[in-house]
Amino acid sequence: MEELMRLQKYLAHCGVAGRRKAEELIASGAVQVNGQTVREMGIKVGAQDIVHVRGERVKPESVKYYIMYNKPRGEVSTASDPEGRTTVLDRFKDFSVRLYPVGRLDFDSEGLIFLTNDGEFAKRVTHPRYGVKKTYIAKINSVLSKENINRLRQGVFVMGEKTRPAMVRVISTGANTQSLLITIGEGKNRQIRRMIEAVGSRVLTLKRIQCGVVRLGKTPLGKWRHLTESEVKYFLD
């Protein structure tokens, strides 16, 4: 009997996008199954079905790719940008398969971001259920008191919700600036910046340096590498 899967999972296996983005594509009417536009999330498809996204036929890809990219500031971490800005995928136009970014990294931030064509990998990295730790270096425009650093560690209110406990360590302190090493296990929109704003300061620069066991290391800005087998295994096992 042929195996069927939900349309959003099928699109993820085709390397179109992660499941959340795939759901947005379906809801927007960008997906057609056997010539019919589909907006329902529950529909299931299989190998016999013909699926198009924005007029282009898509099929599951048998070879999966897992890439760590050191994103510069000024690149959008989406597959496309309505404002015409440079995206993280512009450097991968000639890659052998269609990739998509895993999660988000702000336009004004730099550092580690994953690119893949494996929807399951993307889910394991981004879904709150898995609590993958992400570490950042944040340079801020003031010197925080011990009380405010402890507030960051214990959780502050961001967008009406209290953040989970975070690891926060002072790296260096200047006359009117401070650099912090911050590790969180969740990924709310612009979370680090909003956390810093919640204690009365502002982020000047932000760099993600680690996600799970994967470290940015010495990968130059704007360059990338394939994840090792053990790194991929960490997320998928």
Side-chain angles (χ1 to χ4, degrees):
M1 189 178 211
E2 182 188 4
E3 181 184 356
L4 299 178
M5 66 178 72
R6 291 181 180 273
L7 182 56
Q8 56 266 47
K9 182 177 180 180
Y10 182 89
L11 294 178
H13 278 269
C14 292
V16 172
R19 292 194 200 181
R20 291 184 184 179
K21 181 62 178 178
E23 289 175 356
E24 294 176 14
L25 288 170
I26 296 168
S28 71
V31 181
Q32 292 80 41
V33 178
N34 301 324
Q36 299 295 317
T37 297
V38 174
R39 297 178 185 269
E40 297 80 21
M41 300 300 159
I43 187 172
K44 292 187 176 182
V45 296
Q48 86 286 356
D49 293 300
I50 300 174
V51 180
H52 288 80
V53 177
R54 298 195 181 101
E56 179 183 349
R57 185 172 182 183
V58 296
K59 298 179 181 179
E61 294 164 344
S62 57
V63 180
K64 302 301 181 185
Y65 292 88
Y66 311 92
I67 287 171
M68 185 206 74
Y69 174 52
N70 188 355
K71 183 188 95 67
R73 295 177 66 183
E75 288 186 1
V76 184
S77 58
T78 55
S80 60
D81 181 61
E83 298 178 30
R85 294 174 294 182
T86 301
T87 79
V88 293
L89 293 186
D90 285 344
R91 295 178 187 262
F92 296 86
K93 287 180 178 177
D94 297 327
F95 204 76
S96 58
V97 300
R98 183 204 309 261
L99 300 171
Y100 57 87
V102 178
R104 297 285 180 92
L105 193 58
D106 297 340
F107 180 78
D108 293 324
S109 302
E110 66 180 54
L112 187 158
I113 188 169
F114 294 136
L115 302 170
T116 190
N117 63 338
D118 184 348
E120 182 63 24
F121 175 83
K123 183 182 77 172
R124 295 294 187 97
V125 173
T126 59
H127 198 288
R129 179 198 319 164
Y130 299 100
V132 173
K133 303 291 186 185
K134 302 174 182 70
T135 301
Y136 302 78
I137 295 175
K139 183 177 181 180
I140 63 176
N141 70 339
S142 67
V143 177
L144 296 182
S145 64
K146 290 183 179 180
E147 178 185 357
N148 278 332
I149 289 175
N150 284 331
R151 286 178 60 200
L152 291 174
R153 289 171 176 157
Q154 294 164 8
V156 293
F157 281 92
V158 168
M159 301 173 68
E161 294 184 5
K162 191 173 184 180
T163 58
R164 296 177 185 175
M167 295 175 61
V168 182
R169 179 165 65 86
V170 177
I171 299 175
S172 63
T173 299
N176 298 299
T177 62
Q178 196 169 45
S179 291
L180 306 173
L181 188 70
I182 304 175
T183 300
I184 59 175
E186 54 188 336
K188 292 181 173 63
N189 184 36
R190 298 176 67 86
Q191 179 167 336
I192 298 293
R193 294 180 186 275
R194 294 177 189 274
M195 286 172 62
I196 297 300
E197 289 169 3
V199 293
S201 191
R202 181 170 58 85
V203 170
L204 298 174
T205 62
L206 185 63
K207 181 178 184 178
R208 184 191 288 158
I209 61 169
Q210 185 170 351
C211 182
V213 297
V214 181
R215 299 173 182 268
L216 189 62
K218 296 182 180 180
T219 304
L221 200 63
K223 301 297 183 181
W224 60 274
R225 69 170 176 84
H226 291 282
L227 296 191
T228 65
E229 185 176 340
S230 62
E231 287 171 337
V232 174
K233 188 174 174 15
Y234 168 84
F235 293 104
L236 294 180
D237 280 1

